[in-house]
Amino acid sequence: MAIIDVKDVSIRYITGDFKDIGLKEYVTRRLTGNYHVKEFWADRHVTFSLDRGDMLGIIGSNGAGKSTILKAISGIMVPTEGSVSVRGTVAALLELNAGFDGELTVRENTFLRGALLGYTHEFMVDKYDEIIAFAELESFQDRPFKQLSSGMKSRLAFSIACLVNPDVLILDEVLSVGDGAFRKKSGNKMREILKNGVTAILVSHSLDQVRELCSRILWLDHGKQIAFSDEVSLHCDAYEEFLQCRRVPENRDDIERLAESCRLRREEEKRERRRTQTEKLLNILEKSEDAAALEAALALVRRVKPEALAQ
């Protein structure tokens, strides 16, 4: 049985000019049939399902509808069309400061966030030390939350979400914040909780992160579902090439052609880097008088391009 089941979901925003024209003019226009609104479909006909232990990576340019579909799954928004079914408790990190009060301390915010996620005070007392230790905020427990850096805030939010044992974990660009050491640590934690059966969704502009962590992928473009698949590397390659050419694929063949173009382009870039490196090394061999530098360059040329020495 699917943990998350999204069926033909479409989400519409309606915008008008009520704030600009005022109540009197609004009523007049409604009565005369001259009041018009604009419709904007953030997502159109999105369909996918996730089982226990799956991790979905959602990719797409800004404005693709990624965050909107996350809000529907989290229960923040109700789809205009279609349905969303989620089984189990959900911990969602959609915005860095969501669920935190800048005037409260780190300690107080930890319990506040836990309460918003539906956990008891006793449960949070048991988990508190573990949460703070993972977030590496032992020295900041009694500091106001607003004094933390964005990386510290992200570490606390991620720590709370991961260590309170949700059934579904939703992350919107959270793993991209923080230093390299914490990103590695959070990635290891994600792999650990996925092994324990948590179903996760990650929105990220880091394709390397999606390739490394995700078992399924959803590609959105201007609200349209381009693909949903377990072929993560294929679609990441295709999306990487799409960012270069901006040619939206219409079918499976287009996706495979984009992925192949990406692989060919990377191979050519690799060859070009190697040629540039070899030229620099050969230049050192020709002009340098430093014996150690000459020997190092010569050894490297023998390894990467021995035919150059025969010329």
Side-chain angles (χ1 to χ4, degrees), residues 101-139:
D101 187 321
E103 300 300 325
L104 299 180
T105 66
V106 170
R107 186 189 307 274
E108 292 166 335
N109 268 295
T110 301
F111 284 93
L112 173 62
R113 179 73 177 177
L116 291 174
L117 290 172
Y119 294 99
T120 65
H121 180 77
E122 291 75 17
F123 178 84
M124 293 304 298
V125 168
D126 291 339
K127 286 286 185 178
Y128 177 77
D129 289 340
E130 187 180 354
I131 289 170
I132 294 299
F134 186 86
E136 302 171 4
L137 294 175
E138 292 92 338
S139 302

Side-chain angles (χ1 to χ4, degrees), residues 287-300:
K287 299 180 179 180
S288 178
E289 297 180 359
D290 187 305
L294 284 169
E295 184 59 35
L298 189 60
L300 191 53

Side-chain angles (χ1 to χ4, degrees), residues 52-53 162 165-167 189-199:
R52 182 179 173 85
C162 288
N165 302 321
D167 297 303
K189 186 62 180 179
M190 283 303 306
R191 282 185 282 271
E192 178 185 328
I193 65 175
L194 289 172
K195 288 180 181 179
N196 293 333
V198 172
T199 302

Side-chain angles (χ1 to χ4, degrees), residues 71-86:
K71 290 176 182 177
I73 296 170
S74 303
I76 297 172
M77 300 182 68
V78 177
T80 309
E81 298 174 0
S83 64
V84 176
S85 174
V86 180

Side-chain angles (χ1 to χ4, degrees), residues 19-33:
K19 290 183 179 180
D20 297 327
I21 65 177
L23 179 59
K24 180 181 178 180
E25 185 67 18
Y26 166 75
V27 173
T28 301
R29 291 188 185 184
R30 288 300 298 264
L31 291 175
T32 58

Side-chain angles (χ1 to χ4, degrees), residues 137-292:
L137 294 175
E138 292 92 338
S139 302
F140 300 88
Q141 298 178 58
D142 297 312
R143 293 274 293 275
F145 183 78
K146 64 182 180 182
Q147 294 182 3
L148 300 185
S149 68
S150 60
M152 291 177 176
K153 293 174 182 177
S154 175
R155 296 201 313 252
L156 180 62
F158 180 81
S159 181
I160 295 171
C162 288
L163 297 177
V164 294
N165 302 321
D167 297 303
V168 177
L169 180 61
I170 298 176
L171 307 171
D172 190 355
E173 288 292 344
V174 173
L175 294 184
S176 299
V177 183
D179 57 27
F182 188 78
R183 284 198 294 271
K184 181 178 179 180
K185 181 178 175 180
S186 58
N188 291 336
K189 186 62 180 179
M190 283 303 306
R191 282 185 282 271
E192 178 185 328
I193 65 175
L194 289 172
K195 288 180 181 179
N196 293 333
V198 172
T199 302
I201 300 177
L202 170 68
V203 168
S204 178
H205 288 291
S206 170
L207 292 178
D208 288 339
Q209 203 170 67
V210 173
R211 287 186 181 99
E212 180 184 359
L213 295 173
C214 298
S215 58
R216 294 181 179 273
I217 190 168
L218 174 67
W219 181 353
L220 299 176
D221 182 72
H222 292 89
K224 177 185 176 182
Q225 179 171 324
I226 303 300
F228 170 65
S229 173
D230 59 359
E231 297 176 287
V232 176
S233 293
L234 172 71
H235 287 83
C236 281
D237 288 348
Y239 178 68
E240 184 177 330
E241 188 64 20
F242 160 77
L243 293 177
Q244 298 291 324
C245 67
R246 293 294 175 178
R247 187 173 65 251
V248 179
E250 297 293 335
N251 50 47
R252 168 77 182 198
D253 289 342
D254 287 349
I255 289 173
E256 290 181 349
R257 279 193 288 269
L258 283 172
E260 180 62 21
S261 295
C262 177
R263 286 190 285 269
L264 292 174
R265 178 173 53 80
R266 284 204 300 256
E267 289 174 3
E268 179 57 33
E269 289 173 352
K270 185 177 180 180
R271 285 193 292 269
E272 182 60 31
R273 287 194 300 270
R274 188 171 294 172
R275 281 195 295 268
T276 301
Q277 182 185 47
T278 302
E279 289 172 1
K280 289 180 179 179
L281 291 172
L282 290 173
N283 189 51
I284 291 174
L285 288 174
E286 291 175 1
K287 299 180 179 180
S288 178
E289 297 180 359
D290 187 305

